[in-house]
Amino acid sequence: MLEIKDLHVNVFGKEILKGLSLTVPPGEVHAIMGPNGAGKSTTSYTLAGRAGYEVTGGEIDFYGEDVTALSPEERAAKGIFLAFQYPMEIPGVSTMNFLKTAMNAQAKLRNEPELDAAQFLRTVRAAAKELNISEDMLKRPLNVGFSGGEKKRNETLQMALLKPKLAILDEMDSGLDIDALKLVAEGVNKLRAPDRSFLVITHYQRLLDYIVPDVIHILAGGKIVMSGDKSLALQLEENGYDAVINKAA
Amino acid sequence: MSEETDTLQDLADQKYKYGFVSEIESDFAPKGLNEDVIRFISAKKDEPDWLLQYRLDAYRRWLTLEEPTWAKLDYPKIDFQDAYYYAAPKSDSDKPKSIDDVDPELLRVYEKLGIPLHEQEVLAGVEQRKVAVDAVFDSVSVVTTFKEELGKVGVIFCPISEALKTHPELVKQYLGTVVPASDNFYATLNAAVFSEGSFVYIPPGVRCPMELSTYFRINAAKSGQFERTLIIADKGSYVSYLEGCTAPQRDENQLHAAVVELIAMEDAEIKYSTVQNWYPGDENGKGGIYNFVTKRGDCRGDRSKISWTQVETGSAITWKYPSCVLRGDNSVGEFYSIAIANNYQQADTGTKMLHLGKNTSSRIISKGISAGKAQNTYRGLVSIHAKADGARNFTQCDSLLLGDQCGAHTVPYIQSRNPKAILEHEATTSKISDDQLFYCLSRGIPTEEAVALIVNGFCREVLQQLPMEFAVEAQKLVGISLEGSVG
Amino acid sequence: MAKVVSLDNLLASVAARRSEAAPWLGALIDAASEKFAHVGLPNRRVEAWRYSDLAKALHETVKVEADLDTPPVLAEACVAAFENGVLNDTKSSYCAMGAQSLRKVLAEKDSPVAGIIGRVNPQADHPIINLNTALMEEGLVLQVPKGVTLATPLHLRFNWSGVDAASADGRHLRILVVLEEGAEATLFESHDGAPSFATVVTELSLAPNSKLTHVRLENFAAAARQTAATVGAIGEKAAYRGFYFSQGGHFARHEALLKLAGEEADARIDAAYMVADKRHCDNTTVMDHAVPNTTSTQVFRGVLAGSSRGVYQGCVKVAQAAQKTDARQLSRAMLLSHRAEIVTKPELEIFADDVKCSHGATAGELDANALFFLRARGIPEAEARAMLVEAFLIEAMDTVENEAMREIVIACAHNWMLRHAGEASHVE
């Protein structure tokens, strides 16, 4: 279970998160919505442990442990997964090689046995097939020359293989047309499980039609200003952020 | 008559409008160069002994040096004995106290050059902005305006010969600390014979209330100009300085070998702009100034900034590399350059950025334009030392060729000894595309104007860096310099 | 202890060689030795050698490692094996493709190559090429007749297994490859071990419509001192595809001096260098666009660890007649230590107006975004760094089309990574 308590975060010396608190129990899907500049991306990068996102107050408890001092790879091994808004293109590293390295590294950090080559191939191929990811894509350098949809499917594939306890989806729908979005959402929905929670970060309500959240939080000015069920998203869609946030304040 | 013809006529008329010769009676040092001439210059300026010694040491060193030949420049060997190293208007001998005492003939010269020497005047077309001017004619300063007003905030702006008398300790403390007398052939020559230039000191925390500028004019025949400029921006101060240069149209080549030293202390910023329009020689390559200049800024304090902007359109030969020594942590160096070479002009110009301090950053934007039979070279060095963690450099060098008889060359040296430094360098060479040109023509813009328009667009990033007062002038100059380059 | 290479010794050897040479060769030696005597061994006061002071390097003492790497074996290739600078016929199979030993060719009174050797893309003022011309003895000559495509690659295998006592003058090897119209061939050069001083000049004459693939591998030991040059002329619609890999040496320099001599000629070079310890690695290129409508591309990537020094000097020349030239040049270097150094001098010299020429150069750290991405997937920082370093170079190696060669090259890079993984995984 993820518990964020009164989190303050500075980015390049400027305070972006100003007392964010949030609890996501296992098995639930929570969405964070908010206007531009509210601190949405800062939230996802801070949870993943990116350098330059300085926690100046509060804590991030993950299954009872404060993870604020852990490196990105340690957090990944604990089961925190960030699906990037803009997945990196890494020329020279094949997708296959990348997946293998990541899976083995995490297994090692958790003191679990590494997969042998055959097991690995079987697992990847099966997961790739579900997401309509071709063998050719797996051989190509990571995300290089991939379309927007292919990149997001690749993120989903990594999520499926790495089996996180918490998946943070940062603007999963950006750059996707409706068909690509459906495919990605379908992939995500298949991964919903009682021991896995999701934090869906989005500007638009559209994504939540496909990945239906249990709770919606509205982030503004660096803190959660309102929480509610999915009807909140419809309110936002109708009245806009300003109206809803002003009502809350 | 069509408008097109008018515009072309205008351009032709304007070709080199500063080429006139003024009949000003002058005092000369004996022709040639030897220790007596140096003593003569020093005595004329009534200098302290240490400075005479400094000059003589430099001269003796200079005798042992060879002229550098590494630049892509081709010119006959200079006869250093066939020139006057000191020339001053006779009327200067009893130093004018104010503008009213200045020889009216000299005032007419500056009027003709469009440079305001009366304090109530401002540059044409610009309202309300004051610009202080130091006017240097051959080897002496004629007048410096707004001195009193600047003095109220503690800014010292005067000819260097005057500063030697009024603030000898400041001059002695800083002279030659950025460009040592032993630096290179031309800097050493300058250290021996320099005769005039401006001195600027901005006290701590002061933002200089107006633009400072110096106008250099070579007038006398067979004479060289060897000015020396020294600008010190003390902690937290700011100054913007501009120099302009013109010379008469003469058949022989004249030598100009200047040294400019800038010192920026902690949190200080110096913006130095040059519009260099020395006589470039005629369309057959006859005459013109040989311009061998050493300019260097020292970002001595943390968070200091030195920014060079140059528009180089004149001179037959340009050899010039305004540089920054980024010594202070987090200091910033910038170099913005437009170099235009037309007819038989040759330019070899660029910069050096030496990153010594941590998190230092530099930016180089160079736009070279070659036309006629000209050769234009960008030559630059970016060097990152082992201790300069976090240093950054971005360099963009673009060359434009107008015609197939000219050359455009790029010679960057990029050295890094630091794994935490990031350097990026890009360079391109291209010509004005026929499509661009056709588009302009089809909208009724005549060829010459279209070329000037496109070239100005190509230079925009650099022109933007100039103080507003001079940007307009520089834009016109770009058009004029390229006159006759497109058939 | 080998004698120090000195100008006097070299000139004495040239004189001896001259007295035995056939007239055609004598004329060549005279022209070259006169120029060489004038300049001598290049030092840093010569602009082109400013960052690679050969004269100084030859005066330094070097220690040869006990166990040297063995040269790579390329399956299904014709081999010309040079052991310590001498062509070893028993280990070679070059005759099968009609190549000849240079030693034999030079001994001939009147050779058909007389008009070609030293004249493919003459470098009259190049001190090392002149030295090589004046003292060349061992080497190989390959002529591929019109329209013929060689099915197997030619493997030029240079191996220096120990100090060669007889070579106080160094060893000066010369390769000449002539592709006649429409011919195609693949050249695989490997350099291993530790020459105490070698010069290797490879002359490539590519007739119209011919195509040469040239894979060059310098896998020297730390004590190696060699300066090599690939000198080529590329005819109309002919193509040169070069891939260079180098680990540097005590002094290791390679120059590619290519003239785009016929319209629609094309040259492409991809290169990777990985340099550690106190090694020196110099890559110098001159792309000389002499006629209209030619293209050239160069992409150099380097990784520098320890106290090593990497030099990249790339010059693109465009002659006044060479309109519509398209020349691109890119240099990317990564430093892994505060003691390593990269010097880049990407030069453009352009005399024609209707051209597209560009160069780019970067030096710096790994991409912070990519590093974070890998770490967010659970890959520890050290491993992620090493992965990105290797990936950076593999992009260059992927351009090697021949699979067997590509595997050899990738294995070289991988071995280097294994040896220097610590340096690659964190910055000192």
Side-chain angles (χ1 to χ4, degrees), chain B residues 366-370 376-378 396-403 406-412 425-433 458, chain C residues 316-318 322-329 346-360:
Chain B
S366 163
K367 306 283 179 179
I369 297 125
S370 315
N376 200 338
T377 301
Y378 166 83
Q396 172 85 48
C397 294
D398 296 318
S399 304
L400 196 64
L401 292 123
L402 307 179
C406 52
H409 317 299
T410 314
V411 192
H425 173 104
E426 289 171 28
T428 64
T429 301
S430 55
K431 66 166 197 166
I432 291 179
S433 85
F458 172 76
Chain C
V316 170
K317 294 185 179 185
V318 179
Q323 297 292 2
K324 306 277 178 198
T325 288
D326 189 333
R328 283 153 213 275
Q329 197 185 50
E347 197 174 341
L348 299 175
E349 200 181 292
I350 297 175
F351 293 96
D353 61 339
D354 192 5
V355 298
K356 273 191 216 140
C357 295
S358 67
H359 67 227

Side-chain angles (χ1 to χ4, degrees), chain B residues 164-450:
Chain B
L164 275 160
K165 296 194 178 73
T166 54
H167 303 89
E169 73 299 336
L170 278 177
V171 180
K172 197 174 177 183
Q173 185 184 346
Y174 292 106
L175 186 78
T177 61
V178 185
V179 179
S182 57
D183 195 78
N184 68 69
F185 184 83
Y186 296 104
T188 306
L189 175 63
N190 177 285
V193 302
F194 75 87
S195 42
E196 199 54 285
S198 298
F199 176 82
V200 177
Y201 173 79
I202 315 290
V206 170
R207 193 180 167 86
C208 187
M210 63 185 90
E211 301 277 342
L212 304 184
S213 68
T214 303
Y215 273 89
F216 294 99
R217 173 76 177 170
I218 299 179
N219 188 61
K222 289 249 165 209
S223 77
Q225 192 176 57
F226 305 90
E227 88 262 10
R228 182 112 194 169
T229 295
L230 177 58
I231 299 178
I232 302 132
D234 216 324
K235 289 181 186 176
S237 67
Y238 169 86
V239 61
S240 169
Y241 177 94
L242 183 123
E243 63 169 1
C245 334
T246 58
Q249 207 156 335
R250 293 187 188 279
D251 283 349
E252 84 258 19
N253 299 107
Q254 283 175 287
L255 181 62
H256 173 254
V259 170
V260 174
E261 296 180 279
L262 310 183
I263 296 155
M265 309 305 273
E266 254 171 58
D267 296 300
E269 180 177 349
I270 302 174
K271 192 173 166 59
Y272 192 107
S273 314
T274 304
V275 175
Q276 186 265 103
N277 190 20
W278 295 117
Y279 178 54
D282 69 9
E283 62 276 13
N284 299 313
K286 200 165 170 83
I289 301 290
Y290 285 176
N291 190 32
F292 295 92
V293 175
T294 304
K295 292 184 171 183
R296 195 172 304 149
D298 189 355
C299 284
R300 219 164 265 190
D302 292 351
R303 296 169 303 279
S304 55
K305 179 175 175 182
I306 289 178
S307 178
W308 298 99
T309 303
Q310 61 172 24
V311 179
E312 301 284 316
T313 60
S315 297
I317 300 279
T318 298
W319 181 98
K320 181 183 172 192
Y321 316 91
S323 306
C324 295
V325 182
L326 302 170
R327 207 180 298 276
D329 289 350
N330 297 89
S331 59
V332 177
E334 292 177 336
F335 175 73
Y336 296 95
S337 170
I338 298 170
I340 301 179
N342 193 3
N343 298 320
Y344 284 86
Q345 280 177 278
Q346 300 174 57
D348 194 301
T349 182
T351 184
K352 287 192 271 187
M353 292 288 175
L354 306 175
H355 292 253
L356 307 177
K358 289 189 174 45
N359 299 315
T360 45
S361 70
S362 62
R363 186 178 171 81
I364 299 171
I365 307 287
S366 163
K367 306 283 179 179
I369 297 125
S370 315
K373 291 186 157 45
Q375 299 298 328
N376 200 338
T377 301
Y378 166 83
R379 185 183 303 275
L381 167 70
V382 176
S383 176
I384 313 279
H385 287 238
K387 288 183 179 154
D389 280 352
R392 293 284 320 240
N393 163 263
F394 175 78
T395 302
Q396 172 85 48
C397 294
D398 296 318
S399 304
L400 196 64
L401 292 123
L402 307 179
D404 59 2
Q405 304 289 307
C406 52
H409 317 299
T410 314
V411 192
Y413 297 79
I414 307 157
Q415 305 175 3
S416 177
R417 291 176 160 274
N418 193 302
K420 294 187 156 61
I422 299 175
L423 292 90
E424 291 169 86
H425 173 104
E426 289 171 28
T428 64
T429 301
S430 55
K431 66 166 197 166
I432 291 179
S433 85
D434 294 339
D435 293 345
Q436 284 175 322
L437 206 55
F438 175 70
Y439 187 80
C440 294
L441 295 177
S442 72
R443 294 289 174 273
I445 304 167
T447 310
E448 290 273 349
E449 228 178 301

Side-chain angles (χ1 to χ4, degrees), chain C residues 123-396:
Chain C
Q123 306 285 323
D125 293 316
H126 195 298
I128 291 303
I129 294 174
N130 283 330
L131 172 65
N132 184 283
T133 302
L135 285 177
M136 63 186 171
E137 199 170 7
E138 292 286 343
L140 202 76
V141 175
L142 172 68
Q143 274 182 289
V144 184
K146 192 172 170 180
V148 171
T149 296
L150 293 184
T152 52
L154 172 61
H155 182 179
L156 297 163
R157 198 167 73 202
F158 302 94
N159 188 32
W160 305 84
S161 55
V163 177
D164 180 3
S167 67
D169 302 330
R171 289 286 183 176
H172 307 280
L173 297 131
R174 186 68 152 245
I175 309 296
L176 174 64
V177 175
V178 178
L179 299 193
E180 291 180 1
E181 214 174 319
E184 289 188 23
T186 300
L187 206 57
F188 181 67
E189 260 184 66
S190 65
H191 301 260
D192 290 81
S196 83
F197 174 46
T199 71
V200 180
V201 174
T202 305
E203 279 189 274
L204 307 173
S205 171
L206 308 192
N209 292 307
S210 64
K211 181 180 174 184
L212 183 77
T213 303
H214 184 199
V215 176
R216 252 192 124 255
L217 202 57
E218 283 188 8
N219 247 333
F220 283 130
R225 285 187 293 217
Q226 175 173 292
T227 178
T230 296
V231 185
I234 306 166
E236 195 180 319
K237 293 190 174 134
Y240 172 82
R241 291 276 168 280
F243 172 84
Y244 309 152
F245 175 85
S246 176
Q247 298 196 31
H250 183 77
F251 184 99
R253 169 163 163 136
H254 175 246
E255 298 175 46
L257 310 171
L258 303 177
K259 184 176 195 162
L260 288 303
E263 288 207 28
E264 292 178 56
D266 176 48
R268 177 173 179 107
I269 298 172
D270 289 273
Y273 51 97
M274 308 177 86
V275 197
D277 307 322
K278 289 181 176 162
R279 290 177 182 232
H280 182 96
C281 177
D282 177 332
N283 279 291
T284 292
T285 67
V286 177
M287 289 287 186
D288 185 358
H289 293 261
V291 298
N293 293 309
T294 58
T295 49
S296 71
T297 312
Q298 307 173 52
V299 183
F300 279 76
R301 291 160 189 266
V303 171
L304 300 147
S307 307
S308 66
R309 185 186 226 195
V311 178
Y312 170 68
Q313 309 185 92
C315 182
V316 170
K317 294 185 179 185
V318 179
Q320 197 180 326
Q323 297 292 2
K324 306 277 178 198
T325 288
D326 189 333
R328 283 153 213 275
Q329 197 185 50
L330 179 65
S331 158
R332 294 180 61 193
M334 209 177 269
L335 295 176
L336 302 179
S337 139
H338 270 98
R339 285 170 286 117
E341 182 184 15
I342 173 73
V343 179
T344 312
K345 189 186 168 199
E347 197 174 341
L348 299 175
E349 200 181 292
I350 297 175
F351 293 96
D353 61 339
D354 192 5
V355 298
K356 273 191 216 140
C357 295
S358 67
H359 67 227
T362 62
E365 255 209 304
L366 298 173
D367 180 356
N369 291 319
L371 193 61
F372 171 64
F373 185 75
L374 293 180
R375 294 178 68 191
R377 292 291 171 268
I379 301 170
E381 185 175 357
E383 199 176 332
R385 277 186 177 277
M387 216 171 151
L388 289 175
V389 170
E390 198 167 353
F392 165 69
L393 292 168
I394 282 190
E395 266 194 279

